[in-house]
Amino acid sequence: MNVTNNQLSGFRTRIELEMSNLSQRTNSIRHELLQTAEVQPTVLRDGLDHAKEETDINARLDLNERDLGHTAHLHSALDKITLGTYGCCERCKKTIDMRRMTAQPAAALCVGCQTRAEKARKLEQPTRELPRGSLFNRSFAHE
């Protein structure tokens, strides 16, 4: 990839800043979850409060998991900058378009390979069946 040292420096700065922001958010979520774990057993709640709290905790855990995965991608991008392979598609080895790198500095795949990977992932995902009697399974045709 024909990237200048100045451009690489800019990408490195953006990636490091994003990693710092993710680290702060991850630490904040971890702190919130620990506080919830300490308070939860001592507070009696009705069923709806408990369900809402559980949903909130699961949402925080999902966000934290996503952030940790993104942090790993950012680390990989920094390693590639150091190794001189930044901007090279991991699959086809072609140069990743500069517009994509600007939009997604941690992009590991070119647009074509990313599109194929997403299509393959969708095909691998099992389809969920809706519960019997679900609103979405009902016919709205007049009988």
Side-chain angles (χ1 to χ4, degrees):
M1 181 172 170
N2 295 331
V3 181
T4 67
N5 286 339
N6 196 25
Q7 288 171 318
L8 280 176
S9 178
F11 285 127
R12 179 183 295 278
T13 300
R14 283 184 58 200
I15 291 168
E16 289 172 343
L17 178 62
E18 191 168 350
M19 287 176 62
S20 175
N21 291 337
L22 287 172
S23 177
Q24 288 174 1
R25 186 164 65 187
T26 300
N27 288 336
S28 174
I29 290 170
R30 186 178 306 124
H31 180 72
E32 289 172 16
L33 290 172
L34 287 172
Q35 283 183 327
T36 300
E38 290 173 2
V39 172
Q40 187 81 20
T42 61
V43 179
L44 295 176
R45 300 178 177 192
D46 67 27
L48 290 176
D49 284 343
H50 179 74
K52 183 188 177 310
E53 186 71 32
E54 189 172 325
T55 300
D56 290 347
I57 289 170
N58 286 332
R60 286 189 214 120
L61 289 171
D62 288 345
L63 180 62
N64 193 51
E65 187 175 323
R66 190 197 74 190
D67 286 350
L68 291 174
H70 189 57
T71 299
H73 290 318
L74 293 169
H75 275 291
S76 178
L78 286 177
D79 290 343
K80 289 175 186 177
I81 290 173
T82 302
L83 296 171
T85 59
Y86 183 76
C88 180
C89 177
E90 290 180 355
R91 291 230 173 118
C92 69
K93 306 301 181 208
K94 292 181 182 175
T95 299
I96 299 173
D97 188 272
M98 182 60 77
R99 291 171 295 189
R100 176 158 169 74
M101 297 306 300
T102 300
Q104 285 289 335
L109 302 175
C110 67
V111 172
C113 290
Q114 182 68 40
T115 301
R116 286 187 288 281
E118 288 173 3
K119 285 181 182 177
R121 194 170 24 249
K122 284 181 184 177
L123 291 174
E124 292 172 0
Q125 289 179 348
T127 57
R128 286 185 2 184
E129 288 194 28
L130 296 171
R132 187 172 177 93
S134 167
L135 176 64
F136 299 105
N137 281 342
R138 295 182 186 165
S139 170
F140 289 101
H142 294 286
E143 298 177 356

